[in-house]
Each structure stands twice: as structure tokens, then as C-alpha cells.
Amino acid sequence: MPGGPAVARARSARTLAGPGAAVMDEDSDEALMTAVVARRQQAFRVLMTRHMPRAIRVAQRIVRDPAEADDIGQEAFLRVWNKASSFDPQIARFTTWLYRIVLNLAFDRARKPKLAPIEEAAEIESGEAGPVETIIAAQQRRVLKQAMAALPDRQRGAVALFHMEGLSGEEAARAMNLSAKAFESLLGRARAALRKEVEKLEGHRRDA
């Protein structure tokens, strides 16, 4: 969302970074991480500007709570700063390493019991007429969101990385710390479960 907290924080980071950060904007993530290891805050702020929205988006697909996802994004980048020396560009790209941090934090949060936010308790239709295509698309998004919520955390993570974030199977496997074969199996189970859940929800909607 253009006015969301992730974008606002990214803009703030860019402003605080000063003119030196603008020079670093063209650097690769891996080059920036070398600077972060040297404790250069400007490089860290450039990475935040570049990747914080993505980190929050992935987290929200797991925990389904914007406020929690925002916290996870913050904590993930705190770990990036504190554990910068453990990043090895020979093993993984920065984004793969970041995804792994975000997913681990999100999985931990998702396992903790919590009450559903009141905003999610029920969705009330506005009652206003709209184009048929718009109504159908909105229904499909709601069904998919409900079906995703019913999946186990790791299956939800696999679908989010591969189908929603566009990672290759190899990249997604590395982000989830799995072998390519194990990820393929996990994704296959997730797809089957998602398809089954969508069919069930669609059946309930037709019968209502």
C-alpha cells in the first residue's frame, strides 16, 4: 500500500541516511552487506529501504496480522544488523538469507496462540453495486485468503515464496533451509491442500 507503514519507514530511512546512502543505492545487496559487516549504517539503511516492504509482505502471509508482520520486519532487520558477519554470499543471496530470517520469526509467531483481531471476525459487504468482474475477483481473493489461512505454517510459507513472491524452487528451498526435493514435496502437499480447501469453501458458498 502506497501509504503503508513499511513504505513510510523506508522513506524515513532514506532521508536519515543522507547523501552517502544515495551513492550506495546502485550497490548490490551483497556489496551493501560487506559494508554492514563494517558497521556502516548507511548501507544498512539502503537495505532496509530496498527490502523492508518485501519482508513485511512475506511475514503477513504467514501471521495474517499487519501489526505483527510489521514487528517481524523490524526484528528481521535487527538480526540482519546483529548477525551480518554470518552472511556468506557464496552460500546464498542476501534476499534468500533475509527470507529465511523472516520465515523463522513468522513461524515462531504463528505458533503462539492468539485471539483473532476484531477486524477479521467478519467481513461486512458494503451493499453497493459493482461490476460483476470486480465482485467475482473480490470473492476469489477472500476464498484464497481463507484457504491459505487453513494451511499449516510451512505449507503457507512454501506457497507464499514460490507462487506469490516468484522465487524459483531452488531459492525458496534455500530460504526455508530445505533440499530442493524436500521443498518440491512440501509445495506439492501445499498445493493439494490449498486446492482441497478452496473447493470446500466454494462448496459452502454455493450451498449458503
Side-chain angles (χ1 to χ4, degrees):
M1 296 182 295
V7 173
R9 182 166 46 257
R11 287 172 181 163
S12 175
R14 187 182 296 277
T15 300
L16 289 172
V23 176
M24 292 182 169
D25 274 348
E26 303 301 319
D27 290 350
S28 69
D29 295 336
E30 290 70 29
L32 289 170
M33 279 302 294
T34 299
V36 171
V37 172
R39 316 319 279 164
R40 295 184 63 185
Q41 294 186 17
Q42 290 175 339
F44 179 66
R45 287 168 179 149
V46 172
L47 282 171
M48 282 188 66
T49 299
R50 193 178 288 176
H51 295 296
M52 179 66 85
R54 177 185 295 182
I56 292 174
R57 186 174 65 238
V58 171
Q60 189 168 346
R61 297 197 193 284
I62 307 301
V63 299
R64 307 186 307 283
D65 181 332
E68 273 203 287
D70 195 74
D71 288 344
I72 289 169
Q74 296 269 16
E75 189 173 348
F77 271 91
L78 182 62
R79 292 196 180 187
V80 167
W81 176 259
N82 290 333
K83 298 180 179 294
S85 60
S86 68
F87 171 67
D88 186 350
Q90 301 300 317
I91 295 177
R93 295 166 55 189
F94 170 76
T95 48
T96 303
W97 187 63
L98 176 63
Y99 276 131
R100 184 178 300 177
I101 293 172
V102 171
L103 287 173
N104 286 339
L105 290 170
F107 290 153
D108 287 344
R109 292 286 188 101
R111 292 187 191 106
K112 295 178 181 177
K114 56 182 179 294
L115 296 174
I118 191 168
E119 293 86 354
E120 294 182 7
E123 291 190 22
I124 302 174
E125 299 291 344
S126 66
E128 298 177 0
V132 173
E133 293 83 358
T134 302
I135 294 171
I136 292 173
Q139 289 174 341
Q140 290 174 335
R141 285 195 298 272
R142 282 197 295 272
V143 168
L144 180 60
K145 184 178 179 181
Q146 286 179 272
M148 280 285 287
L151 296 182
D153 296 338
R154 294 184 68 79
Q155 289 186 10
R156 197 155 61 240
V159 171
L161 291 181
F162 187 80
H163 289 290
M164 298 176 176
E165 292 301 313
L167 271 67
S168 68
E170 183 179 353
E171 289 173 329
R174 286 179 179 172
M176 297 192 72
N177 203 23
L178 296 171
S179 67
K181 186 173 182 180
F183 178 78
E184 184 180 350
S185 176
L186 176 65
L187 184 61
R189 294 196 303 274
R191 285 170 172 160
L194 188 62
R195 188 181 302 112
K196 183 177 180 180
E197 192 64 28
V198 166
E199 289 172 354
K200 182 174 74 174
L201 291 169
E202 288 283 6
H204 289 167
R205 187 169 62 83
R206 285 192 296 269
D207 294 340

